[in-house]
Amino acid sequence: MLRLLLASRSPARLATLRAAGVDPLVRVSGVDEDAVLRDAAAERGGLAPVDAVLVLARAKAEEVVRTLDATAPGTPEDDAALLVGCDSMLELDGEVLGKPADADDARARWRAMRGRAGVLHTGHWLVDLRPADAGGTGAAVGATSSTVVHFADLADDEIDAYVASGEPLHVAGAFTVDGLGGPYVERIEGDHHGVVGISLPLVRSLLREVGVAWHALRA
């Protein structure tokens, strides 16, 4: 079995991988997301939402690779053969929405989202950490999963109750599909896992690009 290192603090991503039979190691990056996006936008003359999440996923993965290089040998992460970083954002009317700043921001977002549809983009960046003598390619590959999310037409008291739960404050787009926000998502068009935060079919595809089968990661 090859070990996967997840460069994310998201419990939903971790639970999704575990439910699919993969028990990853975890190391969280410390990148300044605003600075990364600002620099990327300046370099490219703008940044579309579908690209912004991939830029952040790459930055997170590369930061964790740097921390691995600087860590003394013998840590559990040394067993990792592959690393994946992810980032998610909701696009609504061309505007990118990450985590809300506070409860008022979350309420305002839901008033704008209710009864409408947005696109949840999740960027993925996969790094092959295997040494060459173990079949490693040294490659780094990435792609973005984009899924249309149709939100229910919530009443104000439903929005207030959901925001009061605290959940919307900690997730991109101020909603979940696999938690307390599930009843407020009427349907999706695309990969359900991408909305949760990590697209399993897309990760499988990226793994194949570096010569690894998904089942090689299963515990």
Side-chain angles (χ1 to χ4, degrees), residues 89-179:
M89 294 180 183
L90 178 70
E91 180 182 2
L92 186 72
D93 294 335
E95 182 181 0
V96 173
L97 305 175
K99 295 177 184 178
D102 52 31
D104 288 340
D105 187 24
R107 277 190 288 270
R109 289 191 188 184
W110 264 100
R111 291 189 182 108
M113 289 157 46
R114 59 184 172 188
R116 304 180 61 203
V119 181
L120 197 289
H121 301 289
T122 298
H124 303 67
W125 195 260
L126 181 78
V127 181
D128 187 351
L129 300 174
R130 296 173 297 166
D133 60 6
T137 64
V141 293
T144 297
S145 164
S146 298
T147 302
V148 179
V149 182
H150 295 264
F151 299 104
D153 190 5
L154 274 63
D156 286 346
D157 65 320
E158 291 178 299
I159 292 175
D160 291 342
Y162 183 40
V163 173
S165 74
E167 183 183 81
L169 304 180
H170 307 293
V171 289
F175 78 98
T176 66
V177 70
D178 59 327

Side-chain angles (χ1 to χ4, degrees), residues 37-46:
L37 290 178
R38 186 169 57 249
D39 292 346
E43 179 182 337
R44 303 184 185 192

Side-chain angles (χ1 to χ4, degrees), residues 9-211:
R9 70 173 74 252
S10 166
R13 291 186 181 117
L14 180 60
T16 298
L17 287 167
R18 285 177 171 169
V22 176
D23 189 18
L25 299 161
V26 176
R27 178 171 287 197
V28 180
S29 74
V31 298
D32 183 334
E33 296 186 14
D34 291 337
V36 169
L37 290 178
R38 186 169 57 249
D39 292 346
E43 179 182 337
R44 303 184 185 192
L47 203 60
V50 69
D51 298 319
V53 290
L54 187 57
V55 165
L56 286 176
R58 179 176 182 173
K60 291 176 180 179
E62 291 179 343
E63 172 66 17
V64 169
V65 170
R66 285 191 290 271
T67 66
L68 291 176
D69 291 340
T71 301
T75 63
E77 291 86 351
D78 286 338
D79 293 332
L82 301 126
L83 179 151
V84 64
C86 301
D87 190 82
S88 299
M89 294 180 183
L90 178 70
E91 180 182 2
L92 186 72
D93 294 335
E95 182 181 0
V96 173
L97 305 175
K99 295 177 184 178
D102 52 31
D104 288 340
D105 187 24
R107 277 190 288 270
R109 289 191 188 184
W110 264 100
R111 291 189 182 108
M113 289 157 46
R114 59 184 172 188
R116 304 180 61 203
V119 181
L120 197 289
H121 301 289
T122 298
H124 303 67
W125 195 260
L126 181 78
V127 181
D128 187 351
L129 300 174
R130 296 173 297 166
D133 60 6
T137 64
V141 293
T144 297
S145 164
S146 298
T147 302
V148 179
V149 182
H150 295 264
F151 299 104
D153 190 5
L154 274 63
D156 286 346
D157 65 320
E158 291 178 299
I159 292 175
D160 291 342
Y162 183 40
V163 173
S165 74
E167 183 183 81
L169 304 180
H170 307 293
V171 289
F175 78 98
T176 66
V177 70
D178 59 327
L180 300 179
Y184 309 131
V185 175
E186 291 193 334
R187 70 183 190 278
I188 63 172
E189 299 172 32
D191 178 22
H192 167 271
H193 297 108
V195 180
V196 175
I198 184 165
S199 170
L200 300 181
L202 182 52
V203 173
R204 171 186 168 273
S205 178
L206 294 175
L207 286 168
R208 290 179 67 86
E209 289 189 40
V210 299

